[in-house]
Each structure stands twice: as structure tokens, then as C-alpha cells.
Amino acid sequence: MKSVHFDRPGLPEVLFIKNSKIPIIKDTEILINVKFAGVNRPDIIQREGNYPAPNGHSPILGLEVSGIVSKVGAKVKDFKKGDEVAALVNGGGYAEYCAADQLTTFKLPKNISLKEAAGIPECFFTVWSNLIMNGKLKKNKKVLVHGGTSGIGIAAIQILKTFNAEIFTTVGSNKKKQFCKNLGVQHVFNYKEQDFFEEIKKINKSNLDMILDFVGGEYVKKNINLLATEGKLINIGFQNGSIVDLNLIKVMLKRLIITGSTLRIRNIKFKAKILKSLKKFIFPHFENGTIKCYIDSVHKIENVVSAHQRLQEGTHIGKVILEL
Ligand SMILES: NC(=O)c1ccc[n+]([C@@H]2O[C@H](COP(=O)([O-])OP(=O)(O)OC[C@H]3O[C@@H](n4cnc5c(N)ncnc54)[C@H](OP(=O)(O)O)[C@@H]3O)[C@@H](O)[C@H]2O)c1
């Protein structure tokens, strides 16, 4: 089968297509004939050599796919050959065939195409598990999400809207600012022109209940200062660095919770629990069109280098998708 590989870490140009063996599935797995695969920032970090596949996971890039069931394992109950599905996978998505556990695979919600479905798993599983399961978000809270037009940011904003949150976000251009306003975000800051910390302080006297951040670096101190008593800071990445100079007294005085997680290393049982909740609380919104998978661009697998360049240059809004 056609699949994407790299022999050494580096720039997008290290990626190339080669033939490899079709994965052999376990009894509980499904073999998906991949039609589309989502491209995520963790794929870039892996390509750069900083996020190796955990033991037992495919070394091929790609954490989410959509396609047609080609084969099912002996213990697979709810899927059959020919079903249209999407899945969160343990790597291997940038390939014509990918193995997926039955517990992290789902039939497409009504009104969602295969192209859109490929952009759902990684971001929606990550955001749901962090904000709702770990953060225990309640309705009507004030929440800041950094990077509002990233795959993660757009998923977070849409999930937060279902909790009637007052949403704050940061973006890197005025085009992105307008996109977030159209999405229904009340407070959007172009971090290249405004200091989000000063702006939020001005408009918000009672401070924030929760912050979802993947920027880190100089944002950590500002985040801690913006949180209300018993507020929660959830870090799912540190694009600007994870080593910071910090006075932690505010954590003690405000009884803050600082937490975070990485989805990839969690076991199938935990991921299955996330999917169960998403099906119950979020899939109905996909079906009635109140939540969407916003796609920035679709790239043929032969152009995987341009797909990675597009994500890495950072001007995209929404998901970058590979077409097999
Ligand atoms: N822990 C986990 O389980 C997990 C899972 C998935 C993803 N993640 C992390 O979540 C992040 C987003 O992933 P993604 O796939 O959605 O990536 P993405 O679409 O490429 O988003 C990255 C975004 O970061 C924004 N950004 C860069 N510097 C910023 C700054 N100083 N302030 C605010 N925004 C800034 C960029 O927007 P601008 O152009 O506007 O700067 C860009 O939209 C990544 O760091 C990724 O590693 C973690």
C-alpha cells in the first residue's frame, strides 16, 4: 500500500511516499481503506523527531482517518465491510490502509462527509477529555482558549458554546479574528497587535474560570494571573517552551489547579470513554449543523509536503486534510 515515511527528522521535505505492507489487524480491530486523514500539529512534532510513536503504535504518521471498512477482526461487533467510518488511531493514518480499534471507531454522524469526518477525532477527543472530563467544566463559565483558529481552538470554541461559556481567544491575524467572531466568540485578541492579558483585565473584573493553552512560555504567567479563585489552567502543548520562571504564590492564594494531558499515550478504554461522551453530547450537534468540521485545505497524499508546510506556516484556519 501507498504510505508516507521519513528516514530522518527534519523539515516537511523529509516526507516521501513508499510502498509498505497492509497492517495485520487484531481480533478487536478494523482495517480501514483510508479516504482522508487529518493532519495535526503532533504529526509535525513527530516529523521533527520530538514526539516518537509510543511502543506498539504505528511509526507511520497520522492520528485520525476516515474511509471504508475493508475487513473486521473476529471480535468486532458493530462494524462490517463497506461501512463508512472515522477513527482515532494509534498512528498509521497517512496510508491507504490503517488499523483502528473498534472502540475508537465511529460511523459518520448524519450530514457529515468522509472529508469532514477525518478532521473530527484528534481535536474533539483532545478538547473533550481536557475541558470536560479533566477540567469538569460547568455551564456559563468564562473560558480562554489560545489559538482560536487552530484545529484544537475551533473544536474547543464549538464545545464551549454548547456549555454557554463566555469565550475569550487569541489569534495571529485580523482575518482569524473575524473568523472567530463569526463563530460566536465574544472576545477575540490579535496577539500580534494586542496584549491579551491587558485587554482581558480591562473588560473582565471577575477573572477567568478556565484556560486551555498550548502556547506556554510567556503565556503561563499571564494565564495564572488571569485565573479566578479555584480557576483551572490546562496545558496541552508548549509551542513557546515549557520551562518558565514563575512565582507560584498565586497558585496557593487562589487555590488554582494546573493540569494537562497528552491523548496519544492514553489507553483504548479511556479513549472509548471519550467517544461515548462525544456521541451523546456532541454528535447531535454535528447532525443538526450547529457544530462543524471547518476545513482549511485538502491535499492529495502525493502532496503531503505541501500539507505539512501549510500547517507549519500557521496561516491556516481549521483542519488541513490529506486525500488518499
Ligand atoms: N496534548 C494533546 O493531547 C494534544 C493533542 C492534539 C494537539 N495538541 C497540541 O495542540 C496544539 C494545536 O494543535 P493543532 O493540530 O490544532 O495545530 P494547528 O492547527 O497547527 O494550530 C497551531 C496554532 O497555534 C497558533 N499560535 C502560534 N503561536 C501562538 C501564540 N503566541 N498565541 C496564540 N496562538 C498561537 C497558530 O495561530 P496564529 O497564526 O494565529 O499564531 C496556529 O493556529 C499544538 O500545540 C498541538 O501539539 C495537543
Short mmCIF file of all heavy atoms in Angstrom, two decimals, residues 39-42 44-45 51 122-123 126 130 146-153 170-173 176 191-192 214-215 218-219 235-240 261-264 311-316 318-319, ligand 1:
data_model
loop_
_atom_site.label_atom_id
_atom_site.label_comp_id
_atom_site.label_asym_id
_atom_site.label_seq_id
_atom_site.Cartn_x
_atom_site.Cartn_y
_atom_site.Cartn_z
N VAL A 39 -4.40 16.14 9.34
CA VAL A 39 -3.01 16.50 9.66
C VAL A 39 -3.05 17.34 10.93
O VAL A 39 -3.84 18.30 11.02
CB VAL A 39 -2.37 17.33 8.51
CG1 VAL A 39 -0.95 17.74 8.87
CG2 VAL A 39 -2.39 16.52 7.21
N ASN A 40 -2.26 16.97 11.91
CA ASN A 40 -2.28 17.67 13.20
C ASN A 40 -0.88 18.13 13.58
O ASN A 40 0.12 17.56 13.13
CB ASN A 40 -2.82 16.72 14.29
CG ASN A 40 -4.29 16.42 14.09
OD1 ASN A 40 -5.13 17.26 14.36
ND2 ASN A 40 -4.60 15.23 13.56
N ARG A 41 -0.83 19.14 14.45
CA ARG A 41 0.46 19.67 14.92
C ARG A 41 1.32 18.54 15.53
O ARG A 41 2.52 18.51 15.29
CB ARG A 41 0.18 20.80 15.92
CG ARG A 41 1.34 21.57 16.44
CD ARG A 41 2.07 22.49 15.52
NE ARG A 41 1.32 23.31 14.60
CZ ARG A 41 1.84 24.34 13.94
NH1 ARG A 41 3.09 24.69 14.14
NH2 ARG A 41 1.12 25.02 13.09
N PRO A 42 0.74 17.59 16.28
CA PRO A 42 1.59 16.50 16.79
C PRO A 42 2.31 15.72 15.67
O PRO A 42 3.41 15.20 15.89
CB PRO A 42 0.58 15.60 17.53
CG PRO A 42 -0.49 16.55 17.98
CD PRO A 42 -0.62 17.54 16.86
N ILE A 44 3.61 17.08 13.05
CA ILE A 44 4.79 17.91 12.73
C ILE A 44 5.88 17.69 13.77
O ILE A 44 7.05 17.52 13.45
CB ILE A 44 4.37 19.40 12.65
CG1 ILE A 44 3.53 19.59 11.37
CG2 ILE A 44 5.57 20.33 12.67
CD1 ILE A 44 2.98 20.96 11.17
N ILE A 45 5.44 17.66 15.04
CA ILE A 45 6.41 17.46 16.13
C ILE A 45 7.07 16.08 15.99
O ILE A 45 8.27 15.91 16.20
CB ILE A 45 5.72 17.66 17.50
CG1 ILE A 45 4.99 19.03 17.55
CG2 ILE A 45 6.73 17.59 18.64
CD1 ILE A 45 4.12 19.25 18.77
N TYR A 51 8.53 13.69 19.03
CA TYR A 51 7.31 13.06 19.57
C TYR A 51 7.21 11.65 18.98
O TYR A 51 6.35 11.35 18.18
CB TYR A 51 6.10 13.91 19.16
CG TYR A 51 4.80 13.63 19.89
CD1 TYR A 51 4.77 13.31 21.24
CD2 TYR A 51 3.58 13.72 19.22
CE1 TYR A 51 3.58 13.07 21.89
CE2 TYR A 51 2.37 13.49 19.87
CZ TYR A 51 2.38 13.17 21.20
OH TYR A 51 1.18 12.95 21.85
N GLU A 122 -9.07 13.68 16.43
CA GLU A 122 -7.96 14.15 17.28
C GLU A 122 -8.33 15.41 18.09
O GLU A 122 -8.11 15.47 19.30
CB GLU A 122 -6.72 14.41 16.40
CG GLU A 122 -5.52 14.96 17.14
CD GLU A 122 -4.85 14.00 18.13
OE1 GLU A 122 -5.19 12.81 18.15
OE2 GLU A 122 -3.98 14.47 18.90
N CYS A 123 -8.94 16.37 17.45
CA CYS A 123 -9.21 17.63 18.17
C CYS A 123 -10.40 17.50 19.12
O CYS A 123 -10.35 17.98 20.25
CB CYS A 123 -9.45 18.76 17.17
SG CYS A 123 -7.94 19.19 16.31
N THR A 126 -9.42 15.33 22.13
CA THR A 126 -8.48 16.05 23.00
C THR A 126 -9.19 17.11 23.82
O THR A 126 -9.02 17.21 25.05
CB THR A 126 -7.37 16.72 22.15
OG1 THR A 126 -6.66 15.71 21.46
CG2 THR A 126 -6.40 17.52 23.01
N ASN A 130 -10.01 17.09 27.95
CA ASN A 130 -9.34 18.08 28.81
C ASN A 130 -10.31 19.05 29.47
O ASN A 130 -10.25 19.27 30.67
CB ASN A 130 -8.29 18.84 28.00
CG ASN A 130 -7.01 18.02 27.90
OD1 ASN A 130 -6.26 17.91 28.86
ND2 ASN A 130 -6.80 17.40 26.75
N HIS A 146 -6.46 29.63 23.83
CA HIS A 146 -5.45 30.25 22.97
C HIS A 146 -5.46 29.58 21.60
O HIS A 146 -5.78 28.40 21.45
CB HIS A 146 -4.07 30.13 23.61
CG HIS A 146 -3.90 31.05 24.79
ND1 HIS A 146 -3.90 32.43 24.66
CD2 HIS A 146 -3.76 30.80 26.12
CE1 HIS A 146 -3.74 32.99 25.85
NE2 HIS A 146 -3.67 32.02 26.76
N GLY A 147 -5.10 30.36 20.57
CA GLY A 147 -5.02 29.81 19.21
C GLY A 147 -6.39 29.41 18.67
O GLY A 147 -6.62 28.26 18.28
N GLY A 148 -7.31 30.38 18.63
CA GLY A 148 -8.73 30.10 18.33
C GLY A 148 -9.02 29.51 16.97
O GLY A 148 -10.08 28.90 16.77
N THR A 149 -8.11 29.65 16.00
CA THR A 149 -8.42 29.11 14.66
C THR A 149 -7.64 27.82 14.37
O THR A 149 -7.68 27.30 13.25
CB THR A 149 -8.10 30.13 13.55
OG1 THR A 149 -6.71 30.51 13.67
CG2 THR A 149 -9.00 31.35 13.64
N SER A 150 -6.92 27.31 15.35
CA SER A 150 -6.25 26.01 15.18
C SER A 150 -7.33 24.93 15.17
O SER A 150 -8.49 25.19 15.55
CB SER A 150 -5.30 25.77 16.36
OG SER A 150 -6.02 25.76 17.57
N GLY A 151 -6.96 23.73 14.76
CA GLY A 151 -7.91 22.62 14.83
C GLY A 151 -8.46 22.50 16.24
O GLY A 151 -9.68 22.39 16.46
N ILE A 152 -7.55 22.53 17.21
CA ILE A 152 -7.93 22.43 18.62
C ILE A 152 -8.81 23.62 19.03
O ILE A 152 -9.85 23.46 19.69
CB ILE A 152 -6.65 22.38 19.50
CG1 ILE A 152 -5.94 21.03 19.34
CG2 ILE A 152 -6.95 22.69 20.96
CD1 ILE A 152 -6.59 19.85 20.01
N GLY A 153 -8.41 24.82 18.64
CA GLY A 153 -9.14 26.04 19.04
C GLY A 153 -10.58 26.02 18.54
O GLY A 153 -11.51 26.31 19.30
N THR A 170 -7.26 34.00 21.51
CA THR A 170 -6.16 34.73 20.89
C THR A 170 -5.94 34.19 19.48
O THR A 170 -6.08 32.98 19.26
CB THR A 170 -4.86 34.56 21.70
OG1 THR A 170 -4.62 33.16 21.89
CG2 THR A 170 -4.94 35.25 23.03
N VAL A 171 -5.60 35.09 18.55
CA VAL A 171 -5.31 34.68 17.16
C VAL A 171 -4.18 35.56 16.63
O VAL A 171 -3.89 36.60 17.21
CB VAL A 171 -6.53 34.85 16.24
CG1 VAL A 171 -7.65 33.88 16.60
CG2 VAL A 171 -7.05 36.28 16.28
N GLY A 172 -3.60 35.16 15.48
CA GLY A 172 -2.44 35.88 14.96
C GLY A 172 -2.70 36.79 13.77
O GLY A 172 -1.75 37.30 13.18
N SER A 173 -3.97 37.00 13.40
CA SER A 173 -4.25 37.93 12.29
C SER A 173 -5.68 38.44 12.40
O SER A 173 -6.51 37.82 13.08
CB SER A 173 -4.06 37.24 10.93
OG SER A 173 -5.14 36.34 10.70
N LYS A 176 -8.23 35.98 11.03
CA LYS A 176 -8.57 34.95 12.01
C LYS A 176 -9.51 35.51 13.08
O LYS A 176 -10.39 34.81 13.58
CB LYS A 176 -7.30 34.39 12.66
CG LYS A 176 -6.44 33.58 11.71
CD LYS A 176 -5.23 33.01 12.42
CE LYS A 176 -4.50 32.03 11.52
NZ LYS A 176 -3.42 31.33 12.21
N TYR A 191 -2.98 38.62 18.99
CA TYR A 191 -1.86 38.73 19.93
C TYR A 191 -0.65 39.45 19.32
O TYR A 191 0.28 39.82 20.02
CB TYR A 191 -1.46 37.35 20.48
CG TYR A 191 -0.82 36.43 19.47
CD1 TYR A 191 0.53 36.47 19.20
CD2 TYR A 191 -1.60 35.51 18.77
CE1 TYR A 191 1.11 35.62 18.27
CE2 TYR A 191 -1.05 34.67 17.83
CZ TYR A 191 0.31 34.73 17.57
OH TYR A 191 0.87 33.91 16.63
N LYS A 192 -0.69 39.65 17.99
CA LYS A 192 0.43 40.38 17.37
C LYS A 192 0.23 41.90 17.50
O LYS A 192 1.15 42.66 17.31
CB LYS A 192 0.57 39.97 15.91
CG LYS A 192 1.08 38.54 15.78
CD LYS A 192 1.24 38.08 14.35
CE LYS A 192 1.72 36.64 14.34
NZ LYS A 192 1.43 35.97 13.09
N PHE A 214 -1.92 25.89 24.58
CA PHE A 214 -0.86 25.03 24.04
C PHE A 214 0.37 25.87 23.65
O PHE A 214 1.26 25.39 22.99
CB PHE A 214 -1.35 24.20 22.84
CG PHE A 214 -2.02 25.01 21.75
CD1 PHE A 214 -1.28 25.81 20.90
CD2 PHE A 214 -3.39 24.94 21.57
CE1 PHE A 214 -1.89 26.53 19.89
CE2 PHE A 214 -4.01 25.66 20.56
CZ PHE A 214 -3.25 26.47 19.71
N VAL A 215 0.35 27.15 24.06
CA VAL A 215 1.45 28.05 23.71
C VAL A 215 2.54 27.98 24.78
O VAL A 215 3.72 27.84 24.48
CB VAL A 215 0.94 29.50 23.51
CG1 VAL A 215 2.11 30.43 23.19
CG2 VAL A 215 -0.11 29.55 22.40
N GLU A 218 5.86 32.46 27.73
CA GLU A 218 5.48 33.69 28.46
C GLU A 218 3.98 33.73 28.78
O GLU A 218 3.54 34.56 29.59
CB GLU A 218 5.91 34.93 27.65
CG GLU A 218 5.12 35.23 26.39
CD GLU A 218 5.46 34.37 25.16
OE1 GLU A 218 6.16 33.34 25.28
OE2 GLU A 218 5.01 34.74 24.08
N TYR A 219 3.18 32.85 28.16
CA TYR A 219 1.74 32.84 28.44
C TYR A 219 1.42 32.25 29.83
O TYR A 219 0.38 32.53 30.40
CB TYR A 219 0.97 32.02 27.38
CG TYR A 219 0.72 32.75 26.07
CD1 TYR A 219 1.47 33.85 25.68
CD2 TYR A 219 -0.29 32.33 25.21
CE1 TYR A 219 1.24 34.50 24.47
CE2 TYR A 219 -0.55 32.97 24.01
CZ TYR A 219 0.23 34.06 23.64
OH TYR A 219 -0.02 34.70 22.46
N ASN A 235 -2.85 22.81 30.18
CA ASN A 235 -1.88 22.90 29.08
C ASN A 235 -1.83 21.60 28.30
O ASN A 235 -1.58 20.54 28.86
CB ASN A 235 -0.48 23.24 29.62
CG ASN A 235 -0.20 24.72 29.52
OD1 ASN A 235 -0.37 25.47 30.48
ND2 ASN A 235 0.18 25.18 28.33
N ILE A 236 -2.04 21.73 26.99
CA ILE A 236 -1.95 20.52 26.14
C ILE A 236 -0.80 20.66 25.14
O ILE A 236 -0.71 19.89 24.19
CB ILE A 236 -3.29 20.23 25.42
CG1 ILE A 236 -3.72 21.43 24.56
CG2 ILE A 236 -4.36 19.85 26.42
CD1 ILE A 236 -4.80 21.06 23.54
N GLY A 237 0.03 21.65 25.35
CA GLY A 237 1.19 21.84 24.49
C GLY A 237 2.00 23.00 25.01
O GLY A 237 1.53 23.77 25.86
N PHE A 238 3.23 23.10 24.52
CA PHE A 238 4.11 24.20 24.93
C PHE A 238 4.88 24.69 23.71
O PHE A 238 6.10 24.55 23.65
CB PHE A 238 5.05 23.72 26.04
CG PHE A 238 4.36 23.46 27.36
CD1 PHE A 238 3.95 22.17 27.70
CD2 PHE A 238 4.09 24.50 28.24
CE1 PHE A 238 3.30 21.93 28.90
CE2 PHE A 238 3.44 24.26 29.44
CZ PHE A 238 3.03 22.97 29.78
N GLN A 239 4.16 25.25 22.74
CA GLN A 239 4.80 25.66 21.49
C GLN A 239 5.90 26.69 21.71
O GLN A 239 6.86 26.74 20.99
CB GLN A 239 3.75 26.21 20.51
CG GLN A 239 2.83 25.14 19.97
CD GLN A 239 1.85 25.60 18.90
OE1 GLN A 239 1.11 24.79 18.39
NE2 GLN A 239 1.82 26.87 18.58
N ASN A 240 5.75 27.54 22.75
CA ASN A 240 6.77 28.55 23.04
C ASN A 240 7.64 28.17 24.24
O ASN A 240 8.28 29.02 24.83
CB ASN A 240 6.12 29.93 23.29
CG ASN A 240 5.63 30.54 21.99
OD1 ASN A 240 5.75 29.95 20.93
ND2 ASN A 240 5.06 31.73 22.07
N SER A 261 -2.55 17.17 29.67
CA SER A 261 -2.50 15.75 29.30
C SER A 261 -2.06 15.61 27.86
O SER A 261 -2.06 16.58 27.10
CB SER A 261 -3.89 15.12 29.46
OG SER A 261 -4.75 15.58 28.43
N THR A 262 -1.65 14.40 27.49
CA THR A 262 -1.48 14.07 26.07
C THR A 262 -2.40 12.90 25.78
O THR A 262 -2.44 11.92 26.54
CB THR A 262 -0.03 13.69 25.71
OG1 THR A 262 0.37 12.62 26.56
CG2 THR A 262 0.92 14.85 25.88
N LEU A 263 -3.12 13.01 24.68
CA LEU A 263 -4.12 11.99 24.35
C LEU A 263 -3.49 10.67 23.90
O LEU A 263 -3.95 9.60 24.24
CB LEU A 263 -5.01 12.55 23.22
CG LEU A 263 -6.10 11.64 22.69
CD1 LEU A 263 -7.14 11.35 23.76
CD2 LEU A 263 -6.77 12.25 21.46
N ARG A 264 -2.42 10.81 23.12
CA ARG A 264 -1.89 9.66 22.40
C ARG A 264 -1.53 8.47 23.30
O ARG A 264 -1.76 7.31 22.94
CB ARG A 264 -0.65 10.13 21.64
CG ARG A 264 -0.21 9.18 20.59
CD ARG A 264 0.93 9.80 19.83
NE ARG A 264 1.26 8.95 18.72
CZ ARG A 264 2.23 9.22 17.88
NH1 ARG A 264 2.93 10.30 17.99
NH2 ARG A 264 2.48 8.39 16.91
N LEU A 311 0.33 23.69 7.32
CA LEU A 311 0.05 23.72 8.76
C LEU A 311 1.15 24.46 9.51
O LEU A 311 0.89 25.24 10.43
CB LEU A 311 -0.10 22.30 9.31
CG LEU A 311 -0.80 22.22 10.65
CD1 LEU A 311 -2.32 22.30 10.47
CD2 LEU A 311 -0.48 20.94 11.41
N GLN A 312 2.37 24.22 9.07
CA GLN A 312 3.50 24.76 9.81
C GLN A 312 3.64 26.27 9.65
O GLN A 312 4.05 26.96 10.58
CB GLN A 312 4.79 24.09 9.34
CG GLN A 312 5.82 24.06 10.41
CD GLN A 312 6.84 22.95 10.24
OE1 GLN A 312 6.68 22.05 9.41
NE2 GLN A 312 7.88 23.00 11.02
N GLU A 313 3.25 26.81 8.47
CA GLU A 313 3.39 28.27 8.29
C GLU A 313 2.36 29.02 9.15
O GLU A 313 2.56 30.19 9.46
CB GLU A 313 3.30 28.66 6.82
CG GLU A 313 1.90 28.58 6.26
CD GLU A 313 1.80 28.79 4.76
OE1 GLU A 313 2.81 28.74 4.05
OE2 GLU A 313 0.65 28.98 4.31
N GLY A 314 1.26 28.33 9.54
CA GLY A 314 0.38 28.88 10.58
C GLY A 314 -0.71 29.83 10.10
O GLY A 314 -1.44 30.36 10.91
N THR A 315 -0.86 30.03 8.78
CA THR A 315 -1.92 30.95 8.33
C THR A 315 -3.25 30.22 8.10
O THR A 315 -4.26 30.84 7.79
CB THR A 315 -1.53 31.67 7.02
OG1 THR A 315 -1.12 30.67 6.09
CG2 THR A 315 -0.43 32.69 7.25
N HIS A 316 -3.25 28.90 8.25
CA HIS A 316 -4.47 28.11 8.02
C HIS A 316 -5.54 28.46 9.06
O HIS A 316 -5.24 28.87 10.18
CB HIS A 316 -4.16 26.61 8.08
CG HIS A 316 -3.67 26.17 9.43
ND1 HIS A 316 -2.43 26.51 9.93
CD2 HIS A 316 -4.29 25.47 10.41
CE1 HIS A 316 -2.30 26.01 11.14
NE2 HIS A 316 -3.42 25.38 11.47
N GLY A 318 -8.57 26.25 10.58
CA GLY A 318 -9.24 24.95 10.59
C GLY A 318 -8.31 23.82 10.18
O GLY A 318 -7.09 23.94 10.26
N LYS A 319 -8.92 22.74 9.73
CA LYS A 319 -8.18 21.50 9.53
C LYS A 319 -7.52 21.40 8.16
O LYS A 319 -8.11 21.73 7.15
CB LYS A 319 -9.13 20.30 9.69
CG LYS A 319 -9.74 20.15 11.05
CD LYS A 319 -8.75 19.72 12.13
CE LYS A 319 -8.15 18.36 11.86
NZ LYS A 319 -7.37 17.88 13.04
N1 LIG B 1 -1.86 17.15 24.40
C1 LIG B 1 -2.57 16.59 23.44
O1 LIG B 1 -3.14 15.51 23.59
C2 LIG B 1 -2.70 17.31 22.12
C3 LIG B 1 -3.46 16.78 21.08
C4 LIG B 1 -3.59 17.50 19.89
C5 LIG B 1 -2.93 18.72 19.76
N2 LIG B 1 -2.19 19.19 20.79
C6 LIG B 1 -1.47 20.48 20.68
O2 LIG B 1 -2.44 21.49 20.45
C7 LIG B 1 -1.87 22.50 19.63
C8 LIG B 1 -2.77 22.78 18.44
O3 LIG B 1 -2.76 21.66 17.59
P1 LIG B 1 -3.45 21.76 16.13
O4 LIG B 1 -3.21 20.45 15.47
O5 LIG B 1 -4.80 22.29 16.29
O6 LIG B 1 -2.46 22.81 15.46
P2 LIG B 1 -2.61 23.98 14.46
O7 LIG B 1 -3.93 23.96 13.76
O8 LIG B 1 -1.38 24.00 13.63
O9 LIG B 1 -2.56 25.23 15.42
C9 LIG B 1 -1.43 25.87 15.90
C10 LIG B 1 -1.88 27.30 16.15
O10 LIG B 1 -1.05 27.93 17.09
C11 LIG B 1 -1.33 29.31 16.93
N3 LIG B 1 -0.33 30.09 17.64
C12 LIG B 1 1.00 30.09 17.45
N4 LIG B 1 1.59 30.96 18.31
C13 LIG B 1 0.60 31.50 19.06
C14 LIG B 1 0.57 32.45 20.11
N5 LIG B 1 1.68 33.02 20.56
N6 LIG B 1 -0.63 32.78 20.66
C15 LIG B 1 -1.77 32.20 20.20
N7 LIG B 1 -1.80 31.30 19.21
C16 LIG B 1 -0.63 30.95 18.64
C17 LIG B 1 -1.28 29.49 15.42
O11 LIG B 1 -2.14 30.54 15.06
P3 LIG B 1 -1.63 32.01 14.68
O12 LIG B 1 -1.25 32.04 13.24
O13 LIG B 1 -2.83 32.80 14.89
O14 LIG B 1 -0.48 32.30 15.53
C18 LIG B 1 -1.92 28.17 14.93
O15 LIG B 1 -3.28 28.36 14.60
C19 LIG B 1 -0.46 22.03 19.27
O16 LIG B 1 0.46 22.62 20.15
C20 LIG B 1 -0.53 20.54 19.50
O17 LIG B 1 0.71 19.97 19.78
C21 LIG B 1 -2.05 18.51 21.95
#
